[in-house]
Amino acid sequence: MARLNEKDLSLLSDGKTASLLGAGYAYLGGNFTTNPNDYVQISIYDTNDNFLESAIVGSDDYIYNAGEVKLKTGTILRRMGYDRGRYVVKYNFFRKLAGSYENILVDENNNRYFGDYSFNEETGEISDVTGNRIYLKEYKYFAHEISPSRKEIRLVPQRIGDRQYRDDFFNLQTELKRIDGDGEIKFAGDEGGKADSLTMEYVDPDKSFPSQLTNGYIVLNNVFAQPLNAPADTNITEPDIPIAPTGNDLGVLPEGSLNPGSSVVLNSWTWYFYNFDYNGNTEGYFKDSDDNGWEYEGSNNNQNRSFTYIPADEYPPDF
């Protein structure tokens, strides 16, 4: 891991600061150390500012108290094998949003592997419990293209079959985030006044809503849902649904496989490709210029392609 130089920092930083404790920034995940995705990285340089190595600081080697982080630099250096000498030590404080500094295991189909494994020190091969080869892969996204102005960068995911890996990549490019509940919730208040209560809480007293929901919305699906019968004289008009990418008015998709994160321009319509699956079939989600969505399914050889319409108020889908 290399630190940013002054030129790169000037391109990425606007000089503004934001309080992670403020309600307006609650979606960022709370203050440092309150989020399980927080970590500290140490970079070590010699006295001539030559980079030596970097590592992740163990959670036992720093203390966060009253807005200050106190690091046990001596202990950290000794753990890394630096018992004596003069060094320049720099710390970076990061929060994982997508990807990780860690490595993962995948099988021969690039699906993430979570089971037990064995390592052959002579050949360097890794195998699962049945003897099948599995492989080490970085849990990261790679830079596909940098704009000429160097102010924009296009990231592309690797061939990793893991839902969390794909969902994190999708959430990087969306303003609205959906967080599914992990337990039963109820309306709070006295038994006689719960019908008018606007306060909700978990049934389990040990659970609480994450700080990211501050200024957000709680959506209860299918509450008091029942079919409605329209009067006989009601005029029902079909919605003005634009033609899918395979329609004549928009042209057809290009031949060949579609790359994750790419976009297709057809007769002034731009379709943004958001998702990809590598199980032998192609699955994806496009958004057209009117913010309506389309779910795409088909084979990698461009045969049997089909599109399912998703209205703008239901896009992006929960996939």
Side-chain angles (χ1 to χ4, degrees):
M1 298 179 221
R3 64 184 177 90
L4 292 174
N5 57 39
E6 294 297 330
K7 181 180 179 180
D8 292 337
L9 182 61
S10 65
L11 292 174
L12 295 175
S13 175
D14 59 6
K16 299 178 181 178
T17 60
S19 172
L20 295 177
L21 295 177
Y25 296 98
Y27 66 94
L28 294 175
N31 209 2
F32 186 77
T33 71
T34 63
N35 192 302
N37 293 318
D38 294 338
Y39 66 97
V40 180
Q41 176 225 335
I42 180 175
S43 296
I44 304 175
Y45 303 80
D46 62 20
T47 55
N48 294 320
D49 208 31
N50 296 311
F51 175 74
L52 299 178
E53 68 173 303
S54 64
I56 304 303
V57 178
S59 58
D60 295 334
D61 292 334
Y62 64 88
I63 301 173
Y64 183 80
N65 184 28
E68 295 182 351
V69 178
K70 297 182 180 180
L71 294 127
K72 304 175 183 178
T73 300
T75 302
I76 297 170
L77 290 175
R78 284 190 292 272
R79 290 183 190 276
M80 298 177 65
Y82 295 89
D83 294 326
R84 64 190 64 186
R86 297 177 63 86
Y87 304 96
V88 176
V89 177
K90 300 180 181 181
Y91 293 101
N92 291 312
F93 302 88
F94 292 123
R95 173 169 295 167
K96 292 184 290 185
L97 296 180
S100 172
Y101 56 84
E102 301 163 316
N103 295 326
I104 63 170
L105 294 173
V106 297
D107 61 20
E108 59 182 8
N109 296 317
N110 290 306
N111 294 317
R112 187 170 181 181
Y113 178 78
F114 292 94
D116 295 330
Y117 63 90
S118 60
F119 176 72
N120 189 318
E121 295 184 357
E122 295 182 359
T123 64
E125 295 182 353
I126 308 174
S127 305
D128 62 17
V129 292
T130 60
N132 296 318
R133 282 287 304 277
I134 52 179
Y135 305 90
L136 194 67
K137 182 171 286 191
E138 291 185 327
Y139 193 68
K140 299 177 181 178
Y141 310 93
F142 64 90
H144 178 262
E145 185 178 358
I146 301 176
S147 67
S149 65
R150 304 189 64 82
K151 293 185 178 180
E152 296 180 351
I153 185 171
R154 174 183 290 173
L155 298 179
V156 179
Q158 302 181 75
R159 292 175 60 88
I160 295 178
D162 179 62
R163 177 172 181 173
Q164 185 65 47
Y165 180 77
R166 298 196 302 264
D167 287 354
D168 288 345
F169 181 75
F170 175 81
N171 288 329
L172 282 176
Q173 51 195 324
T174 58
E175 294 182 1
L176 298 178
K177 304 293 189 299
R178 174 172 175 170
I179 301 176
D180 293 328
D182 60 350
E184 296 185 23
I185 58 176
K186 64 180 181 180
F187 286 98
D190 298 332
E191 289 298 328
K194 287 187 178 181
D196 298 324
S197 174
L198 298 178
T199 303
M200 306 190 73
E201 62 185 12
Y202 276 98
V203 174
D204 185 347
D206 294 329
K207 291 183 177 292
S208 60
F209 293 105
S211 60
Q212 293 97 315
L213 289 179
T214 304
N215 292 336
Y217 299 92
I218 296 178
V219 179
L220 305 178
N221 296 320
N222 300 321
V223 176
F224 303 119
Q226 62 181 5
L228 298 177
N229 297 321
D233 58 349
T234 300
N235 294 323
I236 301 177
T237 58
E238 294 294 331
D240 183 16
I241 300 177
I243 300 175
T246 51
N248 294 329
D249 290 353
L250 296 178
V252 297
L253 290 173
E255 295 295 324
S257 299
L258 296 169
N259 295 321
S262 64
S263 63
V264 178
V265 179
L266 300 170
N267 296 351
S268 75
W269 289 62
T270 301
W271 303 80
Y272 300 95
F273 186 52
Y274 282 141
N275 192 24
F276 202 79
D277 197 356
Y278 298 97
N279 60 2
N281 292 324
T282 303
E283 300 174 1
Y285 293 88
F286 287 83
K287 182 173 71 172
D288 61 28
S289 54
D290 288 338
D291 286 333
N292 296 298
W294 296 86
E295 179 180 1
Y296 163 86
E297 294 182 358
S299 58
N300 287 333
N301 60 6
N302 296 329
Q303 300 297 321
N304 303 321
R305 292 187 167 189
S306 63
F307 292 82
T308 303
Y309 176 69
I310 306 173
D313 59 354
E314 297 180 11
Y315 193 89
D318 177 24
F319 60 88

